[in-house]
């Protein structure tokens, strides 16, 4: 902090790194606090649809989700998705990851129809952008099976 201005993006990046460490230690409140501070700096020092802001929003959404605040998780992921959709090619894997995480937030909130729809969209991107045996595709397929099960469609769940 002595080497940079208080709103310098490097400060935000350092806070983000610390937040990840606290998250790995299970201290999601501290993770959330650091990421909120980082986001405030990024929103003042970067243009509002900067990819770094989308990343911080996703990390912050994860912290809120781990704390059980799925509405806030969904809201943050929607913001991150909007940025990534504007800034990245339509088949970019990061869009699929964001869709997958957003789908899970909808699932936690009991909206399994929306969850399924988002997972199908994520899977479509992943199948075009990644090798067929990529582990991320397996995760999305597993999440999709859970969503189908929640909807009572056990045939599709298989």
């Amino acid at each position: 902090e002595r080497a940079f201005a208080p709103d310098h993006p490097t400060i935000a990046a350092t806070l983000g790194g610390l937040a990840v460490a606290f998250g790995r230690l299970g201290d999601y409140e501290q993770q959330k606090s650091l990421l909120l501070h980082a986001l405030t700096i990024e929103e003042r020092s970067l243009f509002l649809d900067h990819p770094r802001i989308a990343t911080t929003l996703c990390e912050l959404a994860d912290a809120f989700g781990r704390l059980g605040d799925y509405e806030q998780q969904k809201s943050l992921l929607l913001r991150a998705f909007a940025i990534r959709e504007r800034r990245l090619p339509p088949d970019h894997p990061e869009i699929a990851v964001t869709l997958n995480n957003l789908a899970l937030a909808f699932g936690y909130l009991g909206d399994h129809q929306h969850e399924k729809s988002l997972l199908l969209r994520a899977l479509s991107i992943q199948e075009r952008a990644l090798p067929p045996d990529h582990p991320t595709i397996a995760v999305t397929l597993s999440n999709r099976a859970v969503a189908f099960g929640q909807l009572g469609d056990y045939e599709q769940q298989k």
Side-chain angles (χ1 to χ4, degrees):
E1 289 181 324
R2 288 188 298 243
F4 297 97
D7 284 349
H8 196 280
T10 301
I11 300 294
T14 302
L15 289 168
L18 281 170
V20 168
F22 277 101
R24 287 186 181 147
L25 293 170
D27 189 344
Y28 304 118
E29 283 292 343
Q30 186 64 30
Q31 179 188 24
K32 178 181 85 171
S33 176
L34 290 166
L35 287 168
L36 284 168
H37 189 181
L39 182 61
T40 299
I41 293 170
E42 289 171 350
E43 289 176 335
R44 284 195 298 243
S45 62
L46 303 172
F47 52 94
L48 288 180
D49 67 344
H50 192 282
R52 181 64 212 152
I53 291 176
T55 299
T56 300
L57 288 167
C58 287
E59 291 169 353
L60 187 55
D62 179 62
F64 274 100
R66 291 179 186 277
L67 292 167
D69 189 344
Y70 304 119
E71 281 293 340
Q72 188 64 28
Q73 179 186 35
K74 179 182 83 171
S75 175
L76 293 164
L77 287 167
L78 284 168
R79 284 182 58 200
F81 176 71
I83 292 169
R84 287 184 168 163
E85 198 171 41
R86 280 192 306 273
R87 304 285 299 166
L88 298 173
D91 285 349
H92 195 284
E94 284 300 313
I95 290 176
V97 168
T98 308
L99 284 168
N100 196 347
N101 292 338
L102 186 56
L104 295 177
F106 275 99
Y108 295 139
L109 292 167
D111 186 348
H112 301 294
Q113 193 63 43
H114 206 158
E115 175 187 25
K116 179 186 84 169
S117 172
L118 292 169
L119 288 168
L120 290 172
R121 187 169 169 199
L123 185 60
S124 174
I125 293 169
Q126 290 168 343
E127 287 174 337
R128 288 190 305 272
L130 301 171
D133 60 347
H134 196 281
T136 302
I137 292 175
V139 169
T140 302
L141 286 169
S142 177
N143 291 340
R144 188 187 78 152
V146 170
F148 276 116
Q150 291 292 332
L151 291 167
D153 189 344
Y154 304 113
E155 190 60 35
Q156 285 293 322
Q157 186 181 31
K158 291 193 264 183

